[in-house]
Amino acid sequence: MTYCVAIRLAEGLVFASDTRTNAGVDHVATFRKMRVFSAPGLRLVLLSSGNLATSQSVASLLERRMRLHDGTGLSTVDSLYDAAALVGATLREVLARDADAAAGVDFSSHFLLGGQVDGEPVRLFHVYPQGNFIEASEDTPYFQIGESKYGKPILDRVLDYHTPLAQAIQCALISIDSTMRSNLSVGAPVDLVWLRPGDANAPSPVRLGENDPYFMRLREGWSRGLREAFATLPAPGWDI
Amino acid sequence: MTYCVAIRLAEGLVFASDTRTNAGVDHVATFRKMRVFSAPGLRLVLLSSGNLATSQSVASLLERRMRLHDGTGLSTVDSLYDAAALVGATLREVLARDADAAAGVDFSSHFLLGGQVDGEPVRLFHVYPQGNFIEASEDTPYFQIGESKYGKPILDRVLDYHTPLAQAIQCALISIDSTMRSNLSVGAPVDLVWLRPGDANAPSPVRLGENDPYFMRLREGWSRGLREAFATLPAPGWDI
C-alpha cells in the first residue's frame, strides 16, 4: 500500500509520502512515490498511489515528454489545471494500453499534483483513476491517497488553510507516523517537500529515514505529548 | 457503517459502540449495536457490525433461545469459548437462510463477544463473518469491527493489557470520537459498558449522547491536549 498527503495553505504547499510498496505481504519493496517536475515558469510535485506499474508508466511518460520538448509535455502548460488534465490523459493512455490485458486485476492509480505555474497562485489537484480531477480549496486544504484513514484524524484536528507551513510539515509527518504505526503496508523512509508561492528554485525533496534525528525527535515529542494529554483527561464520573 | 471496539485488560473488559447505520448516504438511522446477555453464572456483551439484517437476526435468535431454556441457548454454555462458537453457528444459520437470496449483496457481519462465565477469567472473542473466531490475548488486548482505521492509532499508542479500566474507557471513547470526526457513517449516541471479573451484577450499558456532559468534557480535554502537544513539537530544522 502507500500513504501520501498533500496540503495547500495560504503560505504554500506541503507534500509527504511513504516509500513502501507491496503485492501481498511477501513482496515488499521501496519505491519513491514523489516526483518533481521543474521547468522555467513551472514547479510541480506529483505523488502517486495504487498500481505501481500504472503510476510508474504515467510518471515515465510525463518525464520523457517533458524532456522531448515536442509540445505535448508538462512544460507547455499555461495553468496547473492543464497539468492536471495532462496527468489524467496520460493515466487514461496507460490504462488503455495495459488494463485490458487481465481481468480481476486492479490497475488503478491515484495522483496528487500540486505546484505553481507562473502567473497563477499555488494549486493542488487530486487526479482520480478515471483521469478526472478535483482541486483543493480553502475549505478542504488537503488531499490524501492510499492508506488514508489512520492519518486523517490528526489532519482534521490541526490543519486549516491558514496553518503555517512549518506546522503543516509537522502535521504531515505525524499523520504518516500514525499510519506507519498502525499499518505495516506503509513504511519509512518518508519523502517530504514544500513549496512557497514564487520560489525561484525547483522543489527539493528531503528524505527522512526511520532514524532521521528530526523525525525521531518529532515522533518522540508527539508520543510524549499524547501521553501527557491523556493523563490530564477528566476521569469518568461513573462508579467503575 | 459502524464502529465498535472491545478491550480485554487485567482489570476487566470495556466495550464501546456507535449507533449509526446507513445504506447509502440517504438512508441513515440509529440502531443499538450492543447487547447484554445475562443469566446465573454468565455475563456477556455482544457488539455487531456489518449487514444490519444479519446481525439483528443473529441477536434475536440468541435472545429468544436464551429465554426458551431449551438447552440450545447462551445460558447453557460452560465456557465463553462455547458462547463464541454458538454465535458463529447462529451467524451461519442466518446466512444459510438469507444470503443466497440475492447475488452481489454483502450479507456479512462481524461480532465481538466478551464477558465471563463463572469459573473462567474474563475473555473476549472476535467472531468472523464465516462463523469462526479468535480470542484476544495479553499481546493483542483489543479488537475493533466496522470503520476501524481512524480510531486505531490512539489505541496503539495508549493501550496495553495493564492499562487501568478507567483509562481504557477514556481511550475507547476518544477512539470513537476520532472516528466520528473523520467519518460521517459513524455517529453518536455512543453505548459504553464495562465489566470486572467476578462482578455480581449484569453489565449495565451507559448511553452517551453528543451533548453528554462527561463525553463533551473528555472530547474538549483531548482536543486541547492535542493542540498543546502539537504546539510543543520541535520545529523542523530545515530552512522553510
Side-chain angles (χ1 to χ4, degrees), chain B residues 195-216:
Chain B
L195 185 152
R196 285 185 183 274
D199 275 348
N201 299 321
S204 175
V206 178
R207 175 157 284 198
L208 306 175
E210 188 85 57
N211 299 317
D212 174 86
Y214 174 66
F215 196 27
M216 281 179 71

Side-chain angles (χ1 to χ4, degrees), chain B residues 11 47 129 132 164 188 217-218 226 237:
Chain B
E11 286 192 3
L47 305 180
N132 58 345
R217 279 196 300 135
L218 188 76
L226 284 186

Side-chain angles (χ1 to χ4, degrees), chain B residues 153-173:
Chain B
I154 181 65
L155 302 172
D156 288 336
R157 287 185 193 264
V158 170
L159 270 191
D160 66 46
Y161 182 69
H162 299 286
T163 303
L165 203 61
Q167 275 184 27
I169 288 173
Q170 293 173 321
C171 188
L173 291 177

Side-chain angles (χ1 to χ4, degrees), chain B residues 54-227:
Chain B
T54 299
S55 60
Q56 276 195 347
S57 260
V58 170
S60 290
L61 290 174
L62 290 169
E63 282 164 358
R64 188 170 66 181
R65 288 166 187 173
M66 189 158 170
R67 277 198 310 275
L68 287 177
H69 293 292
D70 65 352
T72 66
L74 279 170
S75 55
T76 65
V77 302
D78 298 321
S79 162
L80 209 78
Y81 180 94
D82 295 335
L86 191 57
V87 171
T90 310
L91 172 57
R92 288 193 193 108
E93 176 189 343
V94 170
L95 290 176
R97 184 193 70 189
D98 291 348
D100 285 341
V105 176
D106 185 1
F107 286 90
S108 70
S109 285
H110 288 258
F111 295 88
L112 300 181
L113 178 74
Q116 191 172 27
V117 174
D118 279 0
E120 285 193 334
V122 295
R123 299 174 75 175
L124 172 63
F125 290 87
H126 178 170
V127 182
Y128 291 114
Q130 293 75 23
N132 58 345
F133 46 87
I134 59 172
E135 182 172 8
S137 67
E138 291 197 26
D139 292 327
T140 300
Y142 72 86
F143 288 141
Q144 304 169 287
I145 54 177
E147 192 60 82
S148 62
K149 295 183 179 182
Y150 304 102
K152 188 168 186 289
I154 181 65
L155 302 172
D156 288 336
R157 287 185 193 264
V158 170
L159 270 191
D160 66 46
Y161 182 69
H162 299 286
T163 303
L165 203 61
Q167 275 184 27
I169 288 173
Q170 293 173 321
C171 188
L173 291 177
I174 289 169
S175 176
I176 288 196
D177 179 50
S178 295
T179 308
M180 292 195 300
R181 278 171 184 256
S182 286
N183 189 300
L184 277 183
S185 74
V186 175
V190 172
D191 290 318
L192 171 74
V193 73
W194 58 91
L195 185 152
R196 285 185 183 274
D199 275 348
N201 299 321
S204 175
V206 178
R207 175 157 284 198
L208 306 175
E210 188 85 57
N211 299 317
D212 174 86
Y214 174 66
F215 196 27
M216 281 179 71
R217 279 196 300 135
L218 188 76
R219 282 145 55 204
E220 286 163 10
W222 183 242
S223 286
R224 191 171 49 246
L226 284 186
R227 284 194 302 273

Side-chain angles (χ1 to χ4, degrees), chain A residues 97-169:
Chain A
R97 184 193 69 189
D98 291 348
D100 284 342
V105 176
D106 185 0
F107 286 90
S108 71
S109 286
H110 287 257
F111 295 88
L112 300 181
L113 178 74
Q116 191 171 27
V117 173
D118 279 359
E120 285 193 334
V122 296
R123 299 174 76 175
L124 172 64
F125 289 88
H126 178 169
V127 182
Y128 292 114
Q130 292 75 24
N132 57 345
F133 47 88
I134 59 171
E135 182 172 7
S137 66
E138 291 197 26
D139 293 327
T140 301
Y142 72 86
F143 289 140
Q144 304 169 288
I145 54 176
E147 192 60 85
S148 62
K149 294 183 180 182
Y150 304 102
K152 189 169 186 290
I154 182 63
L155 302 172
D156 287 337
R157 286 185 193 266
V158 170
L159 270 192
D160 66 45
Y161 181 69
H162 299 286
T163 303
L165 204 61
Q167 275 185 28
I169 287 173

